[in-house]
Amino acid sequence: MSERRYVLSIDQGTTSTRAIVFDHSGHAVAVGQTEHQQIFPQPGWVEHDPLEIWTNTLHVVALALTRARITHLQVAAVGITNQRETTVVWDVRTGQPVTNAIVWQDTRTADLCRELAGDAGADRWKSRVGLPLATYFSGPKVRWILDNVDGARADAEAGHLRMGTIDAWLIWNLTGGPNGGLHLTDVTNASRTMLMDLRTLAWDTEIVDAMGIPASMLPEIRPSVGDFGAVGSTGLLMGIPIAGVLGDQQAAMFGQTCFEPGMAKNTYGTGCFVLANTGTEVIESPAGLLSTVCYQITNEPAVYALEGSIAVAGSLVQWLRDNLGLIASAPEVEELAASVDDNGGAYIVPAFSGLFAPYWRDDARGVIAGLTRYVTKAHLARAALEASAYQTRDVVEAMQTDSGTPITELRVDGGMTENALLMQFQADQLGIDVIRPTVIETTALGAAYAAGVGVGFWSGTDELTANWSEEVRWSPAQDRADADRLHRNWTKAVERTLDWVDADT
């Protein structure tokens, strides 16, 4: 048998699926990637085809192994990371989804969330699950499917249906599907369903019942680093253990080696996701943040985090390209934005699906504020980039308030970190250093690290920390008074988005 010198990471994201082969130094050897369709049946509805995602997963795994010129005999373990709250319900007898996956951005469950909140309000279960009742999370999505797809509730109550986030869907298919597939998830993904008690790391039966979800639909919850079975005969990874599973943002924390309390990262992707490690203590957030599981290594206590989830970041640049035609390709936005010295007084608040942290307002909708005849498309391009930095500042300030611990630097990753203009503006807004590591594919790397630790490919977190290295550091350069003035105007623009959705809309 060939020496097992690699770990393969499956990174199933909002817009594409990737497989990346990593070596022992944590460097990417080969990548396979393909996009999947974004389905918008109605305003506010966002769906994916789970079967397309599964087919794409097999395809990108084959691409990555082929490009690395290796076989499964050289792969020590498989790690999985995924878009988190996106929800699949499928028939265990056939492997067929009962409907498309409902994506984390989808807002169709707004009325249901208000119904579930009742007189107790959106924070009805927040002290137990760390999350407010919001359209973002998985539990209400499952309930919606059971209530609205013909025959779904009857099949669920008969024990024929399973639910899960994308990790559970992939694990079930990889380990056999209808022929004995394992129905498993990890603590990080389970913590995004609104159905798991953060402290016991078990499904909360009272909440599950209140949501109207049969317990037979739920996967078994396991630590992020551990045993998730072995890949079955499907595909090119037969017999390889699946030994690490993390939701995408927690995987980025693991890849950024944010293993100590107070360490924080921001991933700039479709949205922005800021997480700060709070250690083995659950810190509840009165400032509008989420309490979530950061990771759990087998036989060790869970590590928790505070999270600020921002719905729209890179997707705002896509909107400038695809909906407005201001740019022909996403990388052009930096050059266009850099052609002017400031935003010209214009602010874009991209509340396309409402506002996430720290506001949690599903009645908000996007605005462009401060327009005058002076404003050009270059100013709008700059305002679009600045929106990610302002939203990140809102979250970081809330984190410091909740935790009582100052955040002294921010580790960053994701595609938008290639944009030096944005990263410098982010450092100016936060007043702290912003650091990009040498390996910026930290989400996929985190899943690989988790799987590798699970099989002893890496000895533990100390060895992972030694692998991390800094590539670029941006330090604050703008006068604080100017930075604060810009942020005050941003806050005024946010106020203009509120209370838009009512009976008329």
XYZ file of all heavy atoms in Angstrom, residues 22 24-25 37 70 78 93 113 140 145 152 162 168 195 207 210 218 221 238 275 309 427 441 444 449 460 470 477:
212
model
N -4.657 18.203 0.480
C -3.656 18.903 1.284
C -2.546 17.947 1.684
O -2.793 16.763 1.991
C -4.289 19.486 2.563
C -5.189 20.664 2.320
C -6.562 20.491 2.216
C -4.669 21.941 2.190
C -7.402 21.574 2.001
C -5.491 23.039 1.965
C -6.861 22.852 1.869
N 1.059 17.388 4.279
C 1.271 17.477 5.723
C 1.612 18.893 6.178
O 1.367 19.261 7.329
C 2.364 16.498 6.164
C 2.391 16.270 7.638
N 3.176 17.021 8.500
C 1.697 15.399 8.422
C 2.979 16.610 9.739
N 2.091 15.627 9.723
N 2.156 19.723 5.292
C 2.477 21.101 5.651
C 1.259 22.013 5.603
O 1.349 23.196 5.947
C 3.566 21.647 4.728
O 3.087 21.741 3.397
N -26.344 25.371 -9.469
C -27.374 26.344 -9.809
C -27.943 27.004 -8.563
O -28.188 26.346 -7.547
C -28.494 25.651 -10.584
C -29.593 26.582 -11.079
C -30.701 25.831 -11.785
O -30.725 24.603 -11.806
N -31.640 26.571 -12.366
N -2.796 11.116 -7.608
C -2.779 10.154 -6.507
C -4.040 9.302 -6.573
O -5.000 9.640 -7.273
C -2.684 10.844 -5.131
C -3.920 11.708 -4.872
C -1.410 11.677 -5.021
C -3.980 12.291 -3.468
N -10.736 11.796 5.011
C -11.579 12.770 4.335
C -12.190 13.689 5.388
O -12.689 13.226 6.423
C -12.709 12.086 3.540
C -13.679 13.118 2.964
C -12.123 11.221 2.432
N -35.555 5.581 1.944
C -35.752 4.372 1.136
C -35.169 4.510 -0.262
O -34.686 3.533 -0.837
C -37.251 4.048 1.044
C -37.925 3.781 2.376
C -39.441 3.797 2.247
N -39.957 5.107 1.863
C -41.246 5.403 1.693
N -42.158 4.442 1.885
N -41.631 6.615 1.349
N -41.531 31.756 11.889
C -40.683 32.145 13.022
C -41.438 33.052 13.984
O -41.313 32.915 15.208
C -39.407 32.825 12.519
S -38.232 31.690 11.749
N -36.881 25.713 11.485
C -38.095 26.182 10.808
C -38.158 25.766 9.337
O -39.248 25.586 8.794
C -38.009 27.708 10.961
C -37.183 27.915 12.194
C -36.166 26.822 12.168
N -41.064 22.501 5.218
C -41.143 21.408 4.247
C -42.231 20.414 4.645
O -43.042 19.990 3.811
C -39.774 20.713 4.121
C -38.777 21.646 3.409
C -39.899 19.388 3.359
C -37.350 21.147 3.410
N -45.223 14.853 2.779
C -43.977 14.859 3.551
C -44.229 14.539 5.019
O -43.509 13.734 5.619
C -43.266 16.204 3.404
N -35.521 11.682 6.438
C -34.404 12.173 7.242
C -34.184 13.639 6.905
O -34.464 14.082 5.789
C -33.127 11.379 6.950
C -33.245 9.878 7.212
C -33.385 9.574 8.705
N -33.447 8.135 8.934
C -34.576 7.441 9.051
N -35.756 8.064 8.914
N -34.552 6.145 9.261
N -24.694 16.270 6.615
C -25.405 15.012 6.858
C -25.820 14.354 5.543
O -25.751 13.125 5.400
C -26.625 15.259 7.742
N -32.133 23.330 17.240
C -32.704 22.141 17.867
C -31.771 21.490 18.881
O -32.189 20.571 19.586
C -33.060 21.104 16.784
C -33.996 21.579 15.664
C -34.144 20.480 14.608
C -35.356 21.992 16.210
N -37.897 21.447 22.211
C -37.884 22.320 21.039
C -38.220 21.535 19.782
O -38.966 22.008 18.915
C -36.520 23.025 20.910
C -36.248 23.902 22.139
C -36.465 23.875 19.638
C -34.872 24.539 22.156
N -41.873 21.192 19.751
C -42.529 22.464 19.454
C -42.414 22.824 17.982
O -43.313 23.458 17.415
C -41.925 23.572 20.322
N -33.927 13.099 12.785
C -32.709 13.786 13.205
C -31.482 12.892 13.106
O -31.521 11.718 13.470
C -32.857 14.265 14.646
C -34.049 15.179 14.935
C -34.139 15.456 16.434
C -33.909 16.489 14.165
N -25.587 13.151 16.618
C -24.602 14.221 16.756
C -23.288 13.638 17.269
O -23.269 12.913 18.274
C -25.102 15.299 17.741
C -26.443 15.874 17.283
C -24.055 16.407 17.882
C -27.096 16.779 18.305
N -13.164 4.756 -1.708
C -13.687 3.593 -0.999
C -12.793 3.192 0.173
O -11.582 3.018 0.034
C -13.828 2.411 -1.947
C -14.495 1.195 -1.318
S -14.860 -0.109 -2.530
C -13.202 -0.546 -3.053
N -16.111 35.184 13.815
C -16.189 34.314 14.992
C -15.060 34.666 15.950
O -13.943 34.950 15.515
C -16.084 32.834 14.614
C -17.390 32.116 14.246
C -17.843 32.532 12.863
C -17.221 30.601 14.317
N -23.068 36.927 11.992
C -23.306 36.479 10.614
C -23.836 37.639 9.793
O -24.841 38.257 10.154
C -24.315 35.332 10.602
O -23.906 34.296 11.455
N -9.064 47.504 8.303
C -8.160 47.832 9.412
C -8.433 49.242 9.927
O -8.430 49.483 11.142
C -6.713 47.700 8.956
N -7.196 29.349 1.838
C -8.307 28.391 1.723
C -8.548 27.757 3.087
O -8.499 26.530 3.266
C -7.978 27.331 0.675
C -7.702 27.881 -0.709
C -8.934 28.512 -1.340
O -10.028 28.403 -0.757
O -8.808 29.101 -2.414
N -11.567 24.940 3.762
C -11.208 23.583 3.360
C -10.057 23.054 4.204
O -10.039 21.871 4.580
C -10.834 23.564 1.876
N -7.650 19.627 8.439
C -6.978 19.546 9.735
C -7.773 18.666 10.711
O -7.210 17.825 11.420
C -6.823 20.939 10.333
C -5.599 21.704 9.866
C -5.495 23.075 10.119
C -4.544 21.085 9.217
C -4.373 23.802 9.723
C -3.426 21.809 8.821
C -3.346 23.173 9.074
O -2.235 23.876 8.699
N -2.015 17.088 16.786
C -2.969 17.866 17.570
C -2.878 19.336 17.213
O -2.225 19.722 16.237
N 1.827 33.940 8.509
C 1.250 35.208 8.049
C 1.825 35.582 6.692
O 3.027 35.487 6.469
C 1.581 36.283 9.083
C 1.223 37.694 8.694
C 1.680 38.711 9.740
O 1.609 38.408 10.942
O 2.124 39.803 9.340
N -4.415 53.097 9.251
C -3.681 54.272 8.754
C -4.539 55.530 8.737
O -4.019 56.633 8.623
C -3.155 53.990 7.343
